[in-house]
Amino acid sequence: MGHDVPMRRPDTQRMSASQRAGVVAAAASVPVSLVPSLRPRSAVDQGLITGLSSALDYALTAVAHDLVLRASRGTRALVGRTDVASTARTTVAVDVAALACASAVVAGLPWRPDEPLPRAAVRAVATRIRSAAAAGAVPGALDMLPRGGGRAGALLRSVPGMIVLGTGVSAAVQEARIRRLAVKGIAVSPGAPAPLGQSLAVGAATALGAVSFASLERRIARDAERVVTRTTGAQGFGGLVSHLISAGTIAAGVLGLVGWMSYRVEAQMSAPDRALIPPPGALHVSGSATSAVAWHALGREARRFLASVTPRAVIAEVMGEPASDPVRLYVGLGSAADDAGRVALALAELNRTGALDRSLLVLCSPTGSGYLNHTAVSAWEYLSRGDCASLVMQYSARPSVLSLDRLDEGRALNRATVAAVSAAVAARPPDRRPRVALFGESLGAFTGQDPFLHTGTLGLRSRLIDRALWLGTPAASGWARQILDTGRADVIPGDVLRLASADDIDRLDPEQAAAARYVLMAHHDDGVTVLELPLLLRCPRWLADERTPAVPPQAAWSTPVTFLQTGIDAKNSADTTPGRFGVTGHDYRGDLARTVRFAFALPCSGAQLAAVETALRRTDAARAATWG
C-alpha cells in the first residue's frame, strides 16, 4: 500500500494517492455508521462502530486503490512527465476507468435473495473498487486545479479538507435517501441517537487503536521481510511472505488469548455456586441422594437450574388445581467422561424418577454456559400442573460467544440423547408414552436443531418429537434455513410456525394453529438472529425484500458497517432487567407463558395464564436478588 507515485505536497505530508483515497473513504463512512439499526446504542457502542468502520474503510480503500494503480502501470508509463498535474491527470483517468468497469460488474451482478457467496464476493470486491476509485478521483481532481487552486485548493487538499469533503458527500447522500423516502410517503424517525460528541471521541480512539494495530503488523512484516530476504535472497515474494508471517503471528497471539480466556471462564463457570453447596433434598431432581448424577460434579448453572424447581404447593396455589412435583434432570459436562456416559446417566435418571410416566417430557439444549431459561421451564411446570419432566444435557461451560467451537459436540450429544430417549419412549405402550418436546434458546436452539439437519420435520417425527419451541435461533442454523424451502419433501406443510411475538398466535387461523408442531420465535429486533459473517459480503433479506418494522427505513447495507452495527445489536439485544419481562431483542420472557401454552399444547384459562405470568415475574426478581 502506498507504492504508487507520491503526490509531493507538503500540505498532505507526501501521502500517496491511495492513502488520500483512504482518508476520503474513512470520512465518508462516518455518516453511514451513524444510521440507526435494530437496537439503540450507547456512545461507546456508536464510537466502536464509527472508529472500526472508518479504520477498516481506510485500509480496504487504500489497498483497493493501490491495486488499481498497480494494474495501470502501463498507462502511467505513457506519461513522460512526473509533475503533480500530469500524475494527477493520469491517476484520475485510471480512477474513472476503474469506476466504469467496477460499476459495470456491479450492474451485471444485481442482488438476489440467498445468492451464492462467491457471486456476492465478486460484487463486493467490485463495489469496493468502485468506491476506492471514486474516493481517489476526489483528491486527484483537486491536484488538477490550475496553479493548485490557490489557498482554497490547498485547504481542500489538506487532510482536514479531505475529511470534510468525504463526510459532506456521504452526509448529502444520506439526506437524499431520506428525502426520496419522504416522497414515497415513508416517515423516517431518527430513533434514539447516541450522544454525538462522546461517540466521535470514542470513534477517534478506536480508529487510533486500529491504526496502531496496523502499525504493529507493518513492523512485524518489515522485520520478517528482512529475515526472508537475508535467508533466501528472494526479492519478488518477500513482501507477500512477510505479511503472511505477520498475520500468522498476530493470529497465533489472538488465538492464544482466546484460549486462555476460554480456560479461565470455563473454570469459573464450572465452579459450584457458593449459595448452593448442599445437594437438593427433593428426590425428583438430579444431584439428590438417590441420583446417578453426582452433585459435586455439577457447575453453577446446573445447580441453579435444579434448585429452581417449582414446588408442587406453589403450582397448586397459582393454578388453583391439584399439582405434582415436576421432575428436573441435568447431566453436566463433568458428570461423565464422554457422550456415551452422559447419555447413560440421562437414561438412568429418567428411569429413577419415573420421568417417562409424566405426560410431558422436554429435552432441553442449554446455551454455551450451560444456562437454561428458568422462566420457560417454570412456565411449562405451571401449565402442566407439575406433570412434566425436563432433561438438560450440557455440552459446554463457556459463554455462547466462546462456545462456537463446541457446536459439533453439542450436535453429537443432542443427537445421541434424542436417539436414546426416543428408543426408550418407543419401547413403551402407546398409551403410556409421554409427549416428547424440545426446547432451546439462542445457541441452545442452534444445537437443538442441528441433529435434524437434512431431515426436515420428518426427522423430528421419526424420533417421536411431538412438539418443539426454539427461541432466538442464531442466523447460522442450517436446519432453520433448510425448512424455509417449501419444496422440500421432508418438510410437512404447516409443521413449522415462525413467530415474531406471542401476539402473532392470536392472529393465526384455526387451521394454522392446529397444524403447528415446531415453533420458532425470533423478535424482529433481535440482533442474535441476524448476525452472520455473510453480512460482510452481501445484503441480507431483512435489509432488502423482507424488511420488518424494526428496521429503520433509511438503513441500507454497507460493508463493513452493517456487520459492525449488527454485532453491537446482538450484544445489546441481551439486555434484561430481573422481574421486568421484555418482548424485545433477545429477551423472550414476556412472551413465554403464552408461547409455551401454545407450543406445548398446555390448556389453561385466561385467569390462570395471568396468574402464571405474575408468578414468573415475581420468581425472576427473587432469583436475581438471591443469585445476582
Side-chain angles (χ1 to χ4, degrees), residues 64-92:
H65 194 265
D66 205 32
L67 290 173
V68 168
L69 294 183
R70 285 176 183 274
S72 66
R73 277 180 172 175
T75 303
R76 291 196 294 160
L78 297 176
V79 182
R81 300 160 60 190
T82 58
D83 59 280
V84 171
S86 297
T87 303
R89 283 194 294 271
T90 304
T91 302
V92 170

Short mmCIF file of all heavy atoms in Angstrom, two decimals, residues 64-92:
data_model
loop_
_atom_site.label_atom_id
_atom_site.label_comp_id
_atom_site.label_asym_id
_atom_site.label_seq_id
_atom_site.Cartn_x
_atom_site.Cartn_y
_atom_site.Cartn_z
N ALA A 64 -7.37 -1.34 -2.19
CA ALA A 64 -8.06 -1.47 -3.47
C ALA A 64 -7.54 -0.44 -4.48
O ALA A 64 -7.30 -0.77 -5.66
CB ALA A 64 -9.57 -1.30 -3.28
N HIS A 65 -7.33 0.79 -4.02
CA HIS A 65 -6.84 1.82 -4.93
C HIS A 65 -5.41 1.54 -5.36
O HIS A 65 -5.03 1.75 -6.53
CB HIS A 65 -6.93 3.19 -4.24
CG HIS A 65 -6.76 4.34 -5.18
ND1 HIS A 65 -5.56 4.97 -5.40
CD2 HIS A 65 -7.67 4.97 -5.99
CE1 HIS A 65 -5.71 5.94 -6.26
NE2 HIS A 65 -6.99 5.98 -6.65
N ASP A 66 -4.60 1.01 -4.45
CA ASP A 66 -3.23 0.67 -4.79
C ASP A 66 -3.20 -0.43 -5.85
O ASP A 66 -2.38 -0.39 -6.78
CB ASP A 66 -2.49 0.21 -3.53
CG ASP A 66 -1.00 0.42 -3.63
OD1 ASP A 66 -0.58 1.38 -4.30
OD2 ASP A 66 -0.25 -0.38 -3.04
N LEU A 67 -4.11 -1.41 -5.72
CA LEU A 67 -4.18 -2.47 -6.72
C LEU A 67 -4.59 -1.92 -8.08
O LEU A 67 -4.07 -2.36 -9.12
CB LEU A 67 -5.18 -3.54 -6.27
CG LEU A 67 -4.75 -4.40 -5.07
CD1 LEU A 67 -5.89 -5.31 -4.63
CD2 LEU A 67 -3.52 -5.23 -5.41
N VAL A 68 -5.51 -0.98 -8.10
CA VAL A 68 -5.93 -0.37 -9.36
C VAL A 68 -4.75 0.34 -10.02
O VAL A 68 -4.51 0.20 -11.23
CB VAL A 68 -7.09 0.61 -9.12
CG1 VAL A 68 -7.34 1.46 -10.37
CG2 VAL A 68 -8.36 -0.13 -8.74
N LEU A 69 -3.99 1.09 -9.24
CA LEU A 69 -2.86 1.82 -9.81
C LEU A 69 -1.75 0.89 -10.27
O LEU A 69 -1.10 1.12 -11.28
CB LEU A 69 -2.32 2.83 -8.79
CG LEU A 69 -3.26 3.98 -8.41
CD1 LEU A 69 -2.57 4.94 -7.46
CD2 LEU A 69 -3.73 4.72 -9.66
N ARG A 70 -1.52 -0.18 -9.51
CA ARG A 70 -0.51 -1.15 -9.92
C ARG A 70 -0.91 -1.82 -11.24
O ARG A 70 -0.06 -2.10 -12.09
CB ARG A 70 -0.33 -2.21 -8.83
CG ARG A 70 0.45 -1.72 -7.62
CD ARG A 70 0.49 -2.79 -6.54
NE ARG A 70 1.18 -2.30 -5.36
CZ ARG A 70 2.51 -2.36 -5.19
NH1 ARG A 70 3.26 -2.88 -6.14
NH2 ARG A 70 3.07 -1.90 -4.10
N ALA A 71 -2.22 -2.09 -11.38
CA ALA A 71 -2.68 -2.71 -12.62
C ALA A 71 -2.57 -1.78 -13.81
O ALA A 71 -2.61 -2.22 -14.96
CB ALA A 71 -4.12 -3.17 -12.45
N SER A 72 -2.42 -0.47 -13.55
CA SER A 72 -2.38 0.52 -14.64
C SER A 72 -0.98 1.07 -14.87
O SER A 72 -0.83 2.15 -15.43
CB SER A 72 -3.33 1.68 -14.32
OG SER A 72 -2.86 2.38 -13.18
N ARG A 73 0.05 0.34 -14.44
CA ARG A 73 1.41 0.85 -14.59
C ARG A 73 1.73 1.17 -16.05
O ARG A 73 2.40 2.15 -16.35
CB ARG A 73 2.41 -0.19 -14.06
CG ARG A 73 2.59 -0.12 -12.55
CD ARG A 73 3.58 -1.16 -12.10
NE ARG A 73 3.90 -0.98 -10.69
CZ ARG A 73 4.67 -1.79 -9.99
NH1 ARG A 73 5.20 -2.86 -10.58
NH2 ARG A 73 4.91 -1.57 -8.72
N GLY A 74 1.22 0.34 -16.97
CA GLY A 74 1.49 0.60 -18.38
C GLY A 74 0.92 1.93 -18.83
O GLY A 74 1.54 2.67 -19.60
N THR A 75 -0.27 2.27 -18.34
CA THR A 75 -0.89 3.54 -18.72
C THR A 75 -0.08 4.71 -18.20
O THR A 75 0.16 5.69 -18.91
CB THR A 75 -2.32 3.61 -18.15
OG1 THR A 75 -3.06 2.49 -18.62
CG2 THR A 75 -3.00 4.89 -18.56
N ARG A 76 0.39 4.59 -16.95
CA ARG A 76 1.15 5.71 -16.38
C ARG A 76 2.50 5.87 -17.06
O ARG A 76 3.07 6.95 -17.10
CB ARG A 76 1.32 5.48 -14.87
CG ARG A 76 0.05 5.59 -14.11
CD ARG A 76 0.29 5.74 -12.63
NE ARG A 76 0.89 4.53 -12.10
CZ ARG A 76 1.55 4.50 -10.95
NH1 ARG A 76 1.73 5.61 -10.26
NH2 ARG A 76 2.06 3.36 -10.50
N ALA A 77 3.03 4.75 -17.60
CA ALA A 77 4.33 4.85 -18.26
C ALA A 77 4.25 5.66 -19.54
O ALA A 77 5.26 6.17 -20.03
CB ALA A 77 4.85 3.44 -18.56
N LEU A 78 3.05 5.81 -20.12
CA LEU A 78 2.89 6.60 -21.33
C LEU A 78 3.08 8.09 -21.08
O LEU A 78 3.30 8.87 -21.99
CB LEU A 78 1.50 6.37 -21.93
CG LEU A 78 1.21 4.92 -22.39
CD1 LEU A 78 -0.23 4.83 -22.87
CD2 LEU A 78 2.18 4.49 -23.49
N VAL A 79 2.97 8.47 -19.80
CA VAL A 79 3.13 9.87 -19.46
C VAL A 79 4.61 10.12 -19.17
O VAL A 79 5.17 9.57 -18.24
CB VAL A 79 2.29 10.25 -18.22
CG1 VAL A 79 2.46 11.74 -17.91
CG2 VAL A 79 0.83 9.92 -18.49
N GLY A 80 5.22 10.91 -19.99
CA GLY A 80 6.66 11.11 -19.85
C GLY A 80 7.04 12.08 -18.76
O GLY A 80 8.21 12.22 -18.44
N ARG A 81 6.10 12.77 -18.18
CA ARG A 81 6.40 13.77 -17.16
C ARG A 81 5.93 13.26 -15.79
O ARG A 81 4.99 12.49 -15.70
CB ARG A 81 5.71 15.08 -17.49
CG ARG A 81 6.15 15.66 -18.85
CD ARG A 81 5.13 16.65 -19.36
NE ARG A 81 4.96 17.76 -18.44
CZ ARG A 81 3.99 18.67 -18.56
NH1 ARG A 81 3.12 18.58 -19.54
NH2 ARG A 81 3.90 19.66 -17.69
N THR A 82 6.59 13.68 -14.77
CA THR A 82 6.25 13.23 -13.42
C THR A 82 5.81 14.37 -12.53
O THR A 82 5.84 14.27 -11.33
CB THR A 82 7.46 12.51 -12.78
OG1 THR A 82 8.56 13.42 -12.76
CG2 THR A 82 7.82 11.26 -13.55
N ASP A 83 5.43 15.51 -13.11
CA ASP A 83 4.96 16.61 -12.27
C ASP A 83 3.60 16.26 -11.71
O ASP A 83 2.93 15.33 -12.15
CB ASP A 83 4.88 17.90 -13.09
CG ASP A 83 3.95 17.75 -14.29
OD1 ASP A 83 4.40 17.17 -15.32
OD2 ASP A 83 2.79 18.15 -14.17
N VAL A 84 3.21 17.03 -10.70
CA VAL A 84 1.97 16.73 -9.96
C VAL A 84 0.75 16.73 -10.87
O VAL A 84 -0.08 15.83 -10.82
CB VAL A 84 1.79 17.73 -8.81
CG1 VAL A 84 0.41 17.57 -8.18
CG2 VAL A 84 2.88 17.54 -7.78
N ALA A 85 0.63 17.73 -11.74
CA ALA A 85 -0.56 17.83 -12.58
C ALA A 85 -0.66 16.66 -13.55
O ALA A 85 -1.75 16.09 -13.75
CB ALA A 85 -0.55 19.14 -13.36
N SER A 86 0.45 16.27 -14.17
CA SER A 86 0.42 15.15 -15.11
C SER A 86 0.08 13.85 -14.39
O SER A 86 -0.73 13.04 -14.86
CB SER A 86 1.78 15.02 -15.80
OG SER A 86 2.08 16.16 -16.57
N THR A 87 0.72 13.65 -13.25
CA THR A 87 0.42 12.45 -12.49
C THR A 87 -1.04 12.43 -12.05
O THR A 87 -1.70 11.39 -12.07
CB THR A 87 1.33 12.37 -11.25
OG1 THR A 87 2.69 12.39 -11.67
CG2 THR A 87 1.07 11.10 -10.46
N ALA A 88 -1.55 13.59 -11.65
CA ALA A 88 -2.94 13.67 -11.22
C ALA A 88 -3.89 13.33 -12.36
O ALA A 88 -4.87 12.60 -12.17
CB ALA A 88 -3.24 15.06 -10.67
N ARG A 89 -3.59 13.87 -13.57
CA ARG A 89 -4.46 13.57 -14.71
C ARG A 89 -4.47 12.08 -15.02
O ARG A 89 -5.52 11.49 -15.29
CB ARG A 89 -4.00 14.36 -15.94
CG ARG A 89 -4.39 15.83 -15.91
CD ARG A 89 -4.21 16.47 -17.27
NE ARG A 89 -2.81 16.51 -17.65
CZ ARG A 89 -1.98 17.52 -17.35
NH1 ARG A 89 -2.42 18.56 -16.66
NH2 ARG A 89 -0.73 17.49 -17.75
N THR A 90 -3.30 11.47 -14.96
CA THR A 90 -3.22 10.03 -15.23
C THR A 90 -3.98 9.24 -14.17
O THR A 90 -4.73 8.31 -14.47
CB THR A 90 -1.75 9.57 -15.26
OG1 THR A 90 -1.04 10.35 -16.21
CG2 THR A 90 -1.66 8.10 -15.61
N THR A 91 -3.77 9.62 -12.89
CA THR A 91 -4.44 8.91 -11.80
C THR A 91 -5.95 9.04 -11.90
O THR A 91 -6.69 8.06 -11.71
CB THR A 91 -3.96 9.44 -10.45
OG1 THR A 91 -2.54 9.29 -10.36
CG2 THR A 91 -4.60 8.70 -9.30
N VAL A 92 -6.43 10.26 -12.21
CA VAL A 92 -7.87 10.46 -12.35
C VAL A 92 -8.42 9.65 -13.52
O VAL A 92 -9.50 9.05 -13.42
CB VAL A 92 -8.19 11.95 -12.51
CG1 VAL A 92 -9.65 12.15 -12.90
CG2 VAL A 92 -7.90 12.71 -11.23
#
